[in-house]
Amino acid sequence: MDKIKTLAYKESPKTLLELIEILRIYDNYRDNESIRILAAEYFCLYHTDKYLHYVDKKGHRDFILNCFFDNSENVFGELSGYNPLNSIYYKFKMYKGISKDKRLKEFFENKSSELKKRLDHCKNNFVWSVKFQGEYDFNRLHNVIYNGITDEILRYSIVGKYNDGSSYEKYYKNNNNNNNKNNNNNNNNNNNNNNNNNNNNNNNNNNNNNNNDNNIFFPAEIFETIIEHLLLKIDDRMDKVIINDNLLSYGLVCKQFFQLLSKILNNEYFEWKKSIIQFNKDSEFSLIKEPPLYFDYQSIRLIPYSSSIEYVKLLFSRVQSFYIKTDEHDSIIHKMKREKKKIPDEDTDYTDAEGSTFRNNILSPGYLVYPPPMPSLESITIDEYYGLESNYAHLIKHISINDFEDFKTSELKINSIKRFSINIQEHQKKSDEKSNIKFIEQVLEYHSNSLEKVEIDCSNTEYMPPDQLEYLKSLINNQSNNKINWSLSTKNITNNNHQGVKYLSFIENENESENENENENENENEN
């Protein structure tokens, strides 16, 4: 009870590992109303500014349904004012979940008056269009369940493709050479196959019945070379990463292919964007024997809320390379990169409000999910960073500094950051706005004695003077025992007279430093 109270009333950030810990306490003490209330409170606060692309949708839906059908009015009351993942599409899915749940009939039979209250509540919070507020009508649902009336609402189709981060489009655009190389390799393989077929035919015609022909065994080096050529790799600017697409089909070619592919995947970086990684070192049928070495932030949504704490910690225990591409672009550009799924006839006022809310929430502290600690982390790559607000800066500091401070007090064998890369995008700041790039210096200073390579790409912004990067380079070099390989790029500043515009700077004035300290104390208090 004390543990869940501590987590429930904890200052932000609320982390994914803490959420899973609370859900496991909830599972183990389902008979305790106080624990269910605290769990529901934490759950709703945690997800207030979250969206579909960063959460386990099934785990979220299951918990909300448990709260909706909870015997306690107080537990259900924690849903008051909660807007499920700020999504019209997801509200539609929540309605489908409630109307299809077997517990709905039980409530109709035993708690009809309470059910009516809860359905009325949903009309105000879970409705996905003013045109269909009747979706939670008590009498209509009663007719659907007991009189065999067709639920027309469930027949509405969903259109549009929601970009949850599982698409490889950006990679294919940047890796045409790799694709051409693979195609050439495939053509060569096809030619080799044709030659082999001709040879086999000749052998058959000559009635060569030598049993050794049925047991041809290629050296492992040849198979490994073939597999390496088949695998498509992308460059996330700091590390080469294998795209996890149709890997199993390669593994099913033959047992030797399977074993060698397993060896490659367990010793190289590969992304997992479409499904959660299942690994089992004790099973000969498991392609993945060990936890992955690479983590793309988009994959955070794949971690099931039903996971054990031990499994989640193990999943991140070997991660060496971390990649994140920010969503800040969508907060300032009208055409968003994350297209949303649409429901025919949905009210335009609802959709316009949803887009506006999304743009605002991208910059809020609660928008991002704080991943589990990564004690083996060596490489951090940050793409399309605008620094509009401090939420991404706080996330990176939490991963690369706060977690490492915690590691010092544990018995874990830890690494330190060796490679750091960031791409800073164009954004004009007014003179009274704070530059959220100070964290770069803080991260590099913290890991100065382990750094081997640093890449800072400012070629897309006019507001980073070259002398600032040289200042940072000199500062870190003076603190480091290593010879760091620096790659610094800036855009030529065409106009030095931007009136009222603030250039990006790693040197903050005293007022900004004080404000940052106050903000960290408020938002990153771990006690």
Side-chain angles (χ1 to χ4, degrees):
M1 187 67 176
D2 291 338
K3 178 67 173 178
I4 197 170
K5 278 186 177 180
T6 300
L7 293 175
Y9 297 130
K10 168 185 174 290
E11 296 290 334
S12 60
K14 290 177 167 55
T15 68
L16 175 61
L17 196 61
E18 290 168 353
L19 173 67
I20 290 176
E21 187 173 0
I22 279 186
L23 292 178
R24 297 295 74 77
I25 295 174
Y26 170 85
D27 289 340
N28 293 330
Y29 298 94
R30 291 287 287 271
D31 293 336
N32 189 316
E33 182 187 22
S34 297
I35 286 180
R36 300 202 309 276
I37 292 172
L38 288 172
E41 178 183 3
Y42 184 98
F43 192 90
C44 291
L45 287 173
Y46 176 91
H47 290 93
T48 297
D49 293 333
K50 300 289 190 296
Y51 283 79
L52 291 168
H53 43 272
Y54 288 147
V55 307
D56 170 23
K57 294 185 282 295
K58 181 181 183 304
H60 179 278
R61 183 197 65 211
D62 289 348
F63 187 84
I64 294 299
L65 289 177
N66 285 339
C67 290
F68 181 89
F69 291 108
D70 196 287
N71 290 327
S72 168
E73 292 183 34
N74 293 325
V75 173
F76 172 78
E78 293 298 329
L79 298 181
S80 178
Y82 178 59
N83 184 359
L85 300 181
N86 304 285
S87 165
I88 294 172
Y89 161 73
Y90 194 75
K91 288 179 181 179
F92 174 80
K93 300 293 284 186
M94 282 304 307
Y95 165 75
K96 184 175 182 180
I98 291 172
S99 63
K100 292 287 187 179
D101 198 292
K102 294 180 180 178
R103 290 169 289 186
L104 182 62
K105 188 171 183 179
E106 178 187 337
F107 263 68
F108 266 119
E109 293 174 353
N110 302 318
K111 304 172 185 177
S112 60
S113 59
E114 177 60 26
L115 176 61
K116 190 174 188 309
K117 291 180 184 177
R118 298 186 183 191
L119 292 175
D120 287 341
H121 166 86
C122 291
K123 288 181 182 180
N124 297 322
N125 295 278
F126 290 5
V127 64
W128 49 269
S129 172
V130 292
K131 296 180 180 179
F132 296 101
Q133 282 187 338
E135 62 191 285
Y136 286 108
D137 183 76
F138 180 89
N139 293 326
R140 192 188 69 81
L141 279 174
H142 188 277
N143 286 332
V144 167
I145 291 177
Y146 289 96
N147 298 330
I149 303 299
T150 301
D151 193 342
E152 294 292 338
I153 292 177
L154 295 181
R155 298 176 67 177
Y156 271 77
S157 59
I158 307 298
V159 296
K161 183 177 180 181
Y162 188 83
N163 181 6
D164 59 6
S166 62
S167 170
Y168 305 114
E169 181 179 355
K170 65 169 184 177
Y171 295 142
Y172 286 130
K173 285 181 179 179
N174 296 328
N175 288 272
N176 288 329
N177 292 335
N178 286 341
N179 285 333
N180 292 334
K181 178 181 177 182
N182 286 337
N183 289 333
N184 291 335
N185 289 332
N186 289 335
N187 290 334
N188 291 334
N189 289 337
N190 290 334
N191 291 333
N192 290 334
N193 289 336
N194 291 333
N195 292 333
N196 289 335
N197 290 334
N198 291 332
N199 291 334
N200 289 335
N201 291 333
N202 290 334
N203 289 336
N204 290 332
N205 292 333
N206 293 329
N207 294 320
N208 186 349
N209 295 319
N210 190 332
N211 290 332
N212 290 332
D213 290 345
N214 297 325
N215 297 288
I216 297 175
F217 189 85
F218 288 105
E221 293 79 7
I222 293 179
F223 266 146
E224 195 162 349
T225 300
I226 293 173
I227 294 173
E228 286 284 2
H229 280 286
L230 287 174
L231 296 177
L232 178 61
K233 294 185 179 182
I234 56 96
D235 188 349
D236 73 356
R237 296 211 327 274
M238 193 55 73
D239 298 303
K240 295 290 185 181
V241 183
I242 297 171
I243 286 184
N244 182 11
D245 197 10
N246 296 324
L247 291 180
L248 184 59
S249 62
Y250 296 144
L252 295 177
V253 171
C254 66
K255 185 175 182 180
Q256 199 175 0
F257 249 61
F258 187 92
Q259 292 172 339
L260 290 172
L261 179 60
S262 179
K263 175 185 173 183
I264 291 172
L265 295 179
N266 285 288
N267 291 281
E268 294 191 26
Y269 298 152
F270 71 93
E271 56 80 47
W272 38 290
K273 286 187 172 183
K274 292 189 174 181
S275 61
I276 188 64
I277 294 297
Q278 302 291 343
F279 53 89
N280 185 346
K281 65 180 180 181
D282 298 323
S283 172
E284 64 175 316
F285 303 108
S286 177
L287 187 62
I288 312 298
K289 306 291 186 185
E290 302 286 347
L293 297 171
Y294 178 80
F295 174 56
D296 185 320
Y297 187 75
Q298 299 281 3
S299 302
I300 198 79
R301 77 191 192 286
L302 298 175
I303 301 172
Y305 286 175
S306 58
S307 303
S308 69
I309 298 170
E310 293 74 22
Y311 168 79
V312 175
K313 287 182 177 180
L314 182 61
L315 181 65
F316 284 82
S317 63
R318 293 180 73 229
V319 171
Q320 295 178 356
S321 179
F322 170 69
Y323 173 87
I324 183 171
K325 180 178 180 180
T326 82
D327 293 325
E328 293 177 294
H329 168 278
D330 283 358
S331 70
I332 55 177
I333 307 299
H334 179 71
K335 183 173 176 56
M336 295 185 291
K337 293 183 178 180
R338 290 197 185 276
E339 297 295 334
K340 68 184 187 68
K341 291 186 176 180
K342 301 175 182 178
I343 303 170
D345 297 327
E346 64 186 3
D347 192 273
T348 55
D349 290 340
Y350 272 54
T351 54
D352 291 345
E354 181 179 335
S356 177
T357 301
F358 176 59
R359 288 188 175 87
N360 292 331
N361 284 356
I362 287 175
L363 307 179
S364 73
Y367 173 72
L368 297 170
V369 174
Y370 280 60
M374 294 173 270
S376 301
L377 190 62
E378 296 180 351
S379 176
I380 294 177
T381 301
I382 308 164
D383 231 345
E384 296 192 13
Y385 181 78
Y386 288 79
L388 304 176
E389 291 293 342
S390 60
N391 57 342
Y392 279 96
H394 285 310
L395 173 68
I396 300 302
K397 285 170 60 179
H398 181 89
I399 292 170
S400 60
I401 297 180
N402 293 18
D403 282 347
F404 277 83
E405 282 294 310
D406 291 339
F407 294 151
K408 291 179 180 179
T409 62
S410 69
E411 297 180 356
L412 290 172
K413 181 180 178 181
I414 65 171
N415 292 333
S416 293
I417 305 302
K418 297 179 181 179
R419 303 180 300 281
F420 181 88
S421 175
I422 186 169
N423 164 246
I424 299 176
Q425 293 293 312
E426 183 75 86
H427 175 58
Q428 176 177 311
K429 287 183 174 293
K430 297 180 181 178
S431 57
D432 59 345
E433 287 184 316
K434 183 171 179 287
S435 297
N436 292 297
I437 63 169
K438 180 71 175 175
F439 81 96
I440 301 175
E441 177 188 335
Q442 294 168 335
V443 171
L444 298 183
E445 281 186 315
Y446 188 87
H447 295 279
S448 59
N449 287 323
S450 61
L451 283 171
E452 298 174 356
K453 183 177 180 180
V454 176
E455 178 184 278
I456 303 178
D457 178 10
C458 300
S459 58
N460 291 323
T461 176
E462 292 186 356
Y463 303 103
M464 173 60 79
D467 62 335
Q468 278 298 307
L469 293 180
E470 290 301 323
Y471 155 79
L472 178 65
K473 176 180 176 181
S474 176
L475 177 70
I476 302 304
N477 280 341
N478 289 336
Q479 298 180 32
S480 177
N481 296 324
N482 292 345
K483 184 177 181 181
I484 303 173
N485 178 14
W486 290 84
S487 176
L488 308 175
S489 56
T490 58
K491 185 176 183 179
N492 291 330
I493 300 176
T494 56
N495 183 4
N496 292 322
N497 297 315
H498 291 294
Q499 295 183 354
V501 171
K502 176 180 179 179
Y503 287 105
L504 298 174
S505 172
F506 295 104
I507 307 174
E508 310 287 5
N509 61 44
E510 293 182 1
N511 291 334
E512 287 182 343
S513 298
E514 290 175 2
N515 291 337
E516 179 175 306
N517 291 332
E518 290 176 1
N519 194 26
E520 286 187 8
N521 290 334
E522 179 180 350
N523 292 323
E524 295 195 9
N525 181 10
E526 296 287 339
N527 299 323

